[in-house]
Amino acid sequence: MWTTFAATVGASAGGLTGLIFIVVAFRFDVVAVSQEYRNRAAQAVTLFITIAITAALITIPQPINALGIELVASSLASLTLLVRLDKAARLGTGTRARPALVIALGTFAAGILIAGTFCVAGSDAAMNLYALSTLTGLAWGAYSAWVFLTQAGVEPAQAG
């Protein structure tokens, strides 16, 4: 039942991954010298790659509990990487994590984790959370690409 949705979001994530690389290349002069922008770009790529990988896992014919184990592992690996990239982006700036970012990334990873946990138990009842998570990841990653394109290298007062 979820394979069509997974294939759609997986393809979208693949296309948006390419967009991040184009945006970074377009703004390379700014991104290359900014630890924050490099790590934020890596976060966006992590979101998209996690979506593409989990979408591929859903489309593979396999027992539901095996899918669950894979989704749990993917969500934990993604969350670990996203948190490390956030800390690396803020390193030396003295800034705290942004609440909107924490909520978006937490929703993303938690939804996949919960969906995977239900699948391990033999039920796909929480796959709606997977859907919410992937849509959150796609939206946040696209927003990140927009920020790189329009605000990278612009002073905070100019960025509005």
Coordinates of all heavy atoms in Angstrom, one line a residue, residues 9-57:
V9 N 8.1 9.9 -3.0 CA 9.0 10.8 -2.1 C 10.4 10.4 -2.3 O 11.3 11.3 -2.2 CB 8.6 10.7 -0.6 CG1 7.2 11.3 -0.4 CG2 8.7 9.3 0.0
G10 N 10.7 9.2 -2.6 CA 12.1 8.8 -2.9 C 12.7 9.5 -4.1 O 13.8 10.0 -4.2
A11 N 11.8 9.6 -5.2 CA 12.3 10.3 -6.4 C 12.4 11.8 -6.2 O 13.3 12.4 -6.6 CB 11.2 10.0 -7.5
S12 N 11.4 12.3 -5.4 CA 11.5 13.7 -5.0 C 12.8 14.0 -4.2 O 13.5 15.0 -4.5 CB 10.3 14.1 -4.2 OG 9.1 14.0 -4.9
A13 N 13.1 13.2 -3.3 CA 14.3 13.4 -2.5 C 15.6 13.3 -3.4 O 16.5 14.1 -3.2 CB 14.4 12.3 -1.4
G14 N 15.6 12.4 -4.3 CA 16.7 12.3 -5.2 C 16.9 13.6 -6.0 O 18.0 14.1 -6.2
G15 N 15.8 14.1 -6.5 CA 15.9 15.4 -7.3 C 16.3 16.5 -6.4 O 17.1 17.4 -6.9
L16 N 15.8 16.6 -5.2 CA 16.2 17.7 -4.3 C 17.6 17.6 -3.8 O 18.2 18.6 -3.5 CB 15.2 17.8 -3.1 CG 13.8 18.3 -3.5 CD1 12.8 18.1 -2.4 CD2 13.8 19.7 -3.9
T17 N 18.1 16.4 -3.8 CA 19.5 16.2 -3.4 C 20.4 16.9 -4.5 O 21.4 17.6 -4.2 CB 19.9 14.7 -3.3 OG1 19.1 14.1 -2.3 CG2 21.4 14.5 -3.0
G18 N 20.0 16.6 -5.8 CA 20.7 17.3 -6.9 C 20.6 18.8 -6.8 O 21.6 19.6 -7.0
L19 N 19.4 19.3 -6.3 CA 19.2 20.7 -6.2 C 20.2 21.3 -5.1 O 20.8 22.4 -5.3 CB 17.8 21.0 -5.7 CG 17.5 22.5 -5.3 CD1 17.6 23.4 -6.6 CD2 16.1 22.6 -4.7
I20 N 20.4 20.6 -4.0 CA 21.3 21.1 -3.0 C 22.7 21.2 -3.6 O 23.4 22.2 -3.4 CB 21.4 20.1 -1.8 CG1 20.0 20.2 -1.0 CG2 22.5 20.4 -0.8 CD1 19.8 21.5 -0.3
F21 N 23.2 20.2 -4.4 CA 24.5 20.3 -5.0 C 24.6 21.5 -5.9 O 25.6 22.1 -6.0 CB 24.9 19.0 -5.7 CG 25.2 17.9 -4.7 CD1 24.3 16.9 -4.3 CD2 26.5 17.8 -4.1 CE1 24.7 15.9 -3.4 CE2 26.9 16.9 -3.2 CZ 26.0 15.9 -2.8
I22 N 23.6 21.7 -6.7 CA 23.6 22.9 -7.6 C 23.6 24.2 -6.8 O 24.4 25.1 -7.2 CB 22.3 22.8 -8.5 CG1 22.5 21.7 -9.5 CG2 22.1 24.2 -9.2 CD1 21.2 21.4 -10.3
V23 N 22.8 24.3 -5.8 CA 22.8 25.5 -5.0 C 24.2 25.7 -4.3 O 24.7 26.8 -4.3 CB 21.7 25.5 -3.9 CG1 21.9 26.6 -2.9 CG2 20.4 25.6 -4.6
V24 N 24.8 24.7 -3.8 CA 26.1 24.8 -3.1 C 27.1 25.2 -4.2 O 28.0 26.0 -3.9 CB 26.5 23.5 -2.4 CG1 28.0 23.5 -2.0 CG2 25.6 23.3 -1.2
A25 N 27.1 24.6 -5.4 CA 28.0 25.0 -6.4 C 27.8 26.4 -6.9 O 28.8 27.1 -7.1 CB 27.8 24.0 -7.6
F26 N 26.5 26.9 -6.9 CA 26.2 28.2 -7.3 C 26.7 29.2 -6.3 O 27.2 30.3 -6.6 CB 24.7 28.4 -7.5 CG 24.3 29.7 -8.0 CD1 24.6 30.1 -9.3 CD2 23.5 30.6 -7.1 CE1 24.1 31.4 -9.7 CE2 23.1 31.8 -7.6 CZ 23.4 32.2 -8.9
R27 N 26.7 28.9 -5.0 CA 27.1 29.8 -3.9 C 28.4 29.2 -3.3 O 28.7 29.5 -2.1 CB 26.0 29.9 -2.9 CG 24.7 30.4 -3.3 CD 24.8 31.8 -4.0 NE 25.5 32.8 -3.2 CZ 25.0 33.7 -2.4 NH1 23.7 33.8 -2.3 NH2 25.8 34.6 -1.8
F28 N 29.2 28.5 -4.0 CA 30.4 27.9 -3.5 C 31.4 28.8 -2.8 O 32.0 28.5 -1.8 CB 31.2 27.1 -4.6 CG 32.3 26.3 -4.1 CD1 32.1 25.1 -3.4 CD2 33.6 26.7 -4.3 CE1 33.1 24.4 -2.9 CE2 34.7 26.0 -3.8 CZ 34.4 24.8 -3.1
D29 N 31.5 30.0 -3.3 CA 32.4 31.0 -2.7 C 32.1 31.3 -1.3 O 33.0 31.5 -0.5 CB 32.4 32.3 -3.6 CG 31.0 32.9 -3.7 OD1 30.0 32.2 -3.7 OD2 30.9 34.2 -3.7
V30 N 30.8 31.3 -1.0 CA 30.4 31.6 0.4 C 30.3 30.3 1.2 O 30.8 30.3 2.4 CB 29.0 32.2 0.4 CG1 28.4 32.4 1.8 CG2 29.0 33.6 -0.4
V31 N 29.7 29.2 0.7 CA 29.6 28.0 1.4 C 30.9 27.4 1.7 O 31.1 26.8 2.8 CB 28.7 27.0 0.6 CG1 28.6 25.6 1.3 CG2 27.3 27.6 0.4
A32 N 31.9 27.4 0.9 CA 33.2 26.8 1.1 C 33.9 27.4 2.3 O 34.6 26.6 3.0 CB 34.1 26.9 -0.2
V33 N 33.7 28.6 2.6 CA 34.4 29.2 3.7 C 33.6 29.3 5.0 O 34.1 29.8 6.0 CB 34.9 30.7 3.3 CG1 35.9 30.6 2.2 CG2 33.7 31.6 3.0
S34 N 32.4 28.8 5.0 CA 31.5 28.9 6.1 C 31.3 27.5 6.7 O 30.6 26.6 6.0 CB 30.2 29.5 5.8 OG 29.3 29.4 6.8
Q35 N 31.8 27.2 7.9 CA 31.5 26.0 8.5 C 30.0 25.7 8.7 O 29.5 24.6 8.6 CB 32.2 26.0 9.9 CG 32.0 24.7 10.7 CD 32.9 24.7 12.0 OE1 34.0 25.2 12.0 NE2 32.3 24.1 13.0
E36 N 29.3 26.8 9.1 CA 27.9 26.7 9.3 C 27.2 26.3 8.0 O 26.4 25.3 8.0 CB 27.3 28.0 9.8 CG 25.8 27.8 10.0 CD 25.1 29.1 10.5 OE1 25.7 30.2 10.6 OE2 23.9 29.0 10.8
Y37 N 27.4 26.9 6.9 CA 26.7 26.6 5.7 C 27.1 25.2 5.2 O 26.2 24.5 4.6 CB 27.0 27.7 4.6 CG 26.2 28.9 4.8 CD1 26.8 30.2 4.8 CD2 24.8 28.9 5.1 CE1 26.1 31.3 5.0 CE2 24.1 30.1 5.3 CZ 24.8 31.3 5.3 OH 24.1 32.5 5.5
R38 N 28.3 24.8 5.3 CA 28.7 23.5 4.9 C 27.9 22.4 5.7 O 27.4 21.4 5.1 CB 30.2 23.3 5.0 CG 31.1 23.9 4.0 CD 32.5 23.5 4.0 NE 33.1 23.4 5.3 CZ 33.7 24.4 6.0 NH1 33.9 25.5 5.4 NH2 34.3 24.2 7.2
N39 N 27.8 22.6 7.0 CA 27.1 21.6 7.8 C 25.6 21.7 7.6 O 25.0 20.6 7.6 CB 27.5 21.8 9.3 CG 28.9 21.3 9.5 OD1 29.1 20.1 9.6 ND2 29.9 22.2 9.7
R40 N 25.1 22.9 7.3 CA 23.6 23.0 7.1 C 23.3 22.3 5.7 O 22.3 21.6 5.6 CB 23.2 24.4 7.1 CG 23.3 25.1 8.4 CD 22.4 24.5 9.4 NE 22.6 25.2 10.7 CZ 22.5 24.7 11.9 NH1 22.1 23.4 12.0 NH2 22.7 25.3 13.0
A41 N 24.2 22.5 4.7 CA 24.0 21.8 3.4 C 24.1 20.3 3.6 O 23.3 19.5 3.1 CB 25.1 22.2 2.4
A42 N 25.0 19.8 4.5 CA 25.1 18.4 4.8 C 23.8 17.9 5.5 O 23.4 16.7 5.2 CB 26.3 18.1 5.6
Q43 N 23.3 18.7 6.3 CA 22.0 18.3 7.0 C 20.9 18.1 5.9 O 20.1 17.1 6.0 CB 21.5 19.4 8.0 CG 22.2 19.3 9.3 CD 21.6 20.3 10.3 OE1 21.4 21.4 10.0 NE2 21.3 19.8 11.5
A44 N 20.8 19.0 5.0 CA 19.8 18.9 4.0 C 20.0 17.7 3.1 O 19.0 16.9 2.8 CB 19.8 20.2 3.1
V45 N 21.2 17.4 2.8 CA 21.5 16.2 2.0 C 21.2 14.9 2.9 O 20.6 14.0 2.3 CB 23.0 16.2 1.5 CG1 23.4 14.8 1.0 CG2 23.2 17.3 0.5
T46 N 21.5 15.0 4.2 CA 21.1 13.9 5.0 C 19.6 13.6 5.1 O 19.2 12.5 5.0 CB 21.6 14.1 6.5 OG1 23.1 14.3 6.4 CG2 21.3 13.0 7.4
L47 N 18.8 14.7 5.1 CA 17.4 14.5 5.1 C 17.0 13.8 3.8 O 16.2 12.8 3.8 CB 16.7 15.9 5.1 CG 16.7 16.6 6.5 CD1 16.2 18.1 6.3 CD2 16.0 15.9 7.5
F48 N 17.5 14.3 2.7 CA 17.1 13.7 1.4 C 17.5 12.3 1.2 O 16.8 11.5 0.7 CB 17.5 14.6 0.2 CG 16.9 16.0 0.2 CD1 17.6 17.1 -0.2 CD2 15.6 16.2 0.6 CE1 17.1 18.4 -0.2 CE2 15.0 17.5 0.6 CZ 15.8 18.5 0.2
I49 N 18.8 12.0 1.6 CA 19.3 10.7 1.5 C 18.5 9.7 2.4 O 18.2 8.6 2.0 CB 20.8 10.6 1.7 CG1 21.6 11.5 0.7 CG2 21.4 9.2 1.8 CD1 21.4 11.0 -0.7
T50 N 18.2 10.1 3.6 CA 17.4 9.3 4.5 C 16.1 9.0 3.9 O 15.6 7.8 3.9 CB 17.3 9.9 5.9 OG1 18.5 10.2 6.4 CG2 16.4 9.1 6.8
I51 N 15.4 10.0 3.3 CA 14.2 9.7 2.6 C 14.3 8.8 1.5 O 13.5 7.8 1.3 CB 13.5 11.1 2.2 CG1 13.1 11.9 3.4 CG2 12.3 10.8 1.3 CD1 12.8 13.3 3.1
A52 N 15.3 9.0 0.7 CA 15.5 8.1 -0.5 C 15.8 6.6 0.0 O 15.3 5.7 -0.6 CB 16.7 8.6 -1.4
I53 N 16.6 6.5 1.0 CA 17.0 5.1 1.5 C 15.7 4.5 2.1 O 15.4 3.3 1.8 CB 18.1 5.2 2.5 CG1 19.4 5.5 1.7 CG2 18.3 3.9 3.2 CD1 20.6 5.8 2.6
T54 N 15.0 5.2 2.9 CA 13.9 4.5 3.6 C 12.8 4.3 2.5 O 12.1 3.2 2.6 CB 13.3 5.4 4.7 OG1 13.0 6.7 4.2 CG2 14.3 5.5 5.9
A55 N 12.6 5.1 1.5 CA 11.7 4.9 0.5 C 12.0 3.6 -0.3 O 11.2 2.8 -0.6 CB 11.6 6.1 -0.5
A56 N 13.3 3.4 -0.6 CA 13.8 2.2 -1.3 C 13.5 1.0 -0.4 O 13.1 -0.1 -0.9 CB 15.3 2.3 -1.6
L57 N 13.7 1.1 0.9 CA 13.4 0.0 1.8 C 12.0 -0.4 1.8 O 11.6 -1.6 1.8 CB 13.9 0.3 3.2 CG 15.4 0.5 3.4 CD1 15.6 1.0 4.8 CD2 16.2 -0.8 3.2

